[in-house]
Each structure stands twice: as structure tokens, then as C-alpha cells.
């Protein structure tokens, strides 16, 4: 399946609004109703491509399947890392798009920013996302105890990371630029 990542377009904003007002659309990550106009304002501000965070849309052909996101963090106040996330519409889950999109975003961030570390967190019960992160080249670092308030109580999370020098997975057909690639960063010979 071809997977492409690209900037948020004006016609994508309606989907981003759905993610903040439709319970269950993004699975366990839904945290209650949010300001439905926030995506409109953010798109007008910077197209979701800020210095400290951003979003790209996940597409397959002409269809939009969801989004990938990143935000900056730092453990020591000086050394920046990116934390990535993904939200796919239910009909696109389980089709091999998630791990590719996350691996492509990771390759993109390593290529265009000087960070050494990219991390992702998930829920202990989200076995599909755990497998997706591992396939995308991430390693489980451990349990983050009581890190998230969800469904009325604090819950644990799993933290995964990939460092710049860790092996990158073979992507097959996927691109951030719209060009098919055989491997991360290499144009396809097809």
C-alpha cells in the first residue's frame, strides 16, 4: 500500500475538527470534547508546521487516512527530542499504514532537524501500536507509571524511542515528498 505524508491542506481541517469532537474516533487518545475551531485557527496561523510541533497528513492515493504529529521535549532543558504520534481513521487501521507513516515521519525529522532522539508513547493495552512502533524501528524503554489521566483515572504508559544511529526499517513504497522510495531517503528506481 502506498503511503504518503504531506502538509495539512485547507480541505483537511474538517477531518482535524472531527478528531476533537467525535468520541472514539481516535481510540484511547480521545480526551473529551475540545474546541472545534482550534484546528481552523492553527491552520490559519502556520498550517500546523510550527517550530516546536507539527502535523502531516497520512494519505494513500487520493484518500486521507489520518495524521502524524510531533512536538518537542527536553529532559535536561537543553537537549531537544521529538515525541511523535499518529491518529488513523478506523477504516485505515490494521492495513500496514501506521508503522510506515511513523517510520517515514521519523526519517523526515532526522533528515531535517538535528535531534538525536525521537520517542513515542502508547497505552499498555494498545498491542497494535506497540507492534507498529517496533516495526518502525522503535525500542521499548519501559513503563511510565501514572503518566496519563484517561477515562477517569491515572494510567500507565509505555515509552518507545529510536535514536539517530539506530537501524531504520525498510519502508518499501512510502514517501514524505510524494516520490516513491525503496529505502529511507533513497529515491525509487521504478
Amino acid at each position: 500500500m502506498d503511503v504518503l505524508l504531506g502538509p495539512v491542506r485547507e480541505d483537511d481541517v474538517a477531518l482535524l475538527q472531527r478528531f476533537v469532537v467525535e468520541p472514539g474516533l481516535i481510540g484511547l487518545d480521545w480526551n473529551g470534547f475540545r474546541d472545534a475551531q482550534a484546528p481552523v485557527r492553527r491552520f490559519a496561523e502556520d498550517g500546523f508546521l510550527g517550530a516546536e510541533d507539527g502535523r502531516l497528513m497520512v494519505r494513500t492515493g487520493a484518500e486521507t487516512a489520518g495524521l502524524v504529529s510531533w512536538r518537542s521535549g527536553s529532559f535536561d532543558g537543553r537537549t531537544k527530542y521529538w515525541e511523535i504520534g499518529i491518529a488513523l481513521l478506523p477504516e485505515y487501521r490494521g492495513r500496514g499504514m501506521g508503522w510506515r507513516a511513523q517510520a517515514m515521519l521519523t526519517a523526515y525529522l532526522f533528515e531535517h532537524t538535528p535531534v538525536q532522539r525521537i520517542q513515542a508513547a502508547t497505552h499498555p493495552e494498545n498491542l497494535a501500536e506497540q507492534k507498529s512502533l517496533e516495526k518502525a524501528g522503535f525500542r521499548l524503554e519501559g513503563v511510565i507509571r501514572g503518566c496519563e489521566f484517561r477515562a477517569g483515572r491515572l494510567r500507565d504508559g509505555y515509552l518507545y524511542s529510536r535514536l539517530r544511529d539506530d537501524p531504520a526499517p525498510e519502508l518499501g513504497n512510502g514517501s514524505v515528498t510524494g516520490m516513491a522510495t525503496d529505502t529511507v531517503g533513497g529515491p525509487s528506481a521504478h
Side-chain angles (χ1 to χ4, degrees):
M1 170 171 294
D2 292 350
V3 177
L4 302 172
L5 301 183
V8 176
R9 300 183 304 227
E10 190 169 0
D11 60 333
D12 295 321
V13 174
L15 174 60
L16 299 177
Q17 289 178 294
R18 287 182 60 202
F19 282 130
V20 298
V21 298
E22 287 186 34
L25 188 62
I26 59 172
L28 298 171
D29 288 320
W30 195 72
N31 288 312
F33 295 106
R34 299 288 184 251
D35 178 2
Q37 295 309 307
V40 175
R41 291 189 299 273
R42 177 65 192 268
F43 180 76
E45 177 186 328
D46 65 7
F48 289 92
L49 294 173
E52 298 299 316
D53 66 346
R55 289 184 181 172
L56 295 174
M57 301 308 290
V58 178
R59 303 185 201 286
T60 178
E63 300 175 34
T64 301
L67 66 95
V68 288
S69 62
W70 66 95
R71 67 176 180 225
S72 68
S74 177
F75 290 107
D76 65 4
R78 297 175 301 150
T79 309
K80 186 195 281 194
Y81 64 82
W82 294 117
E83 181 158 342
I84 67 168
I86 187 168
L88 294 178
L89 291 166
E91 60 267 30
Y92 294 99
R93 297 176 195 155
R95 296 170 57 182
M97 295 181 72
W99 79 265
R100 282 184 178 84
Q102 291 173 105
M104 290 164 47
L105 176 61
T106 301
Y108 174 81
L109 292 171
F110 279 145
E111 183 175 340
H112 297 287
T113 68
V115 299
Q116 168 65 14
R117 173 189 177 82
I118 296 177
Q119 67 183 41
T122 190
H123 312 287
E125 61 269 39
N126 193 343
L127 300 177
E129 175 62 358
Q130 292 167 39
K131 289 177 185 176
S132 179
L133 287 168
E134 289 168 5
K135 195 166 182 180
F138 284 74
R139 294 182 191 172
L140 177 63
E141 292 191 335
V143 176
I144 312 166
R145 296 175 26 206
C147 66
E148 175 185 42
F149 185 81
R150 178 171 44 89
R153 66 184 178 93
L154 287 170
R155 297 171 186 267
D156 295 346
Y158 285 177
L159 183 64
Y160 286 78
S161 72
R162 197 168 125 201
L163 302 181
R164 182 175 290 279
D165 297 330
D166 287 345
E170 191 71 31
L171 279 175
N173 193 0
S175 174
V176 178
T177 62
M179 254 176 67
T181 58
D182 288 330
T183 60
V184 175
S188 173
H190 310 288

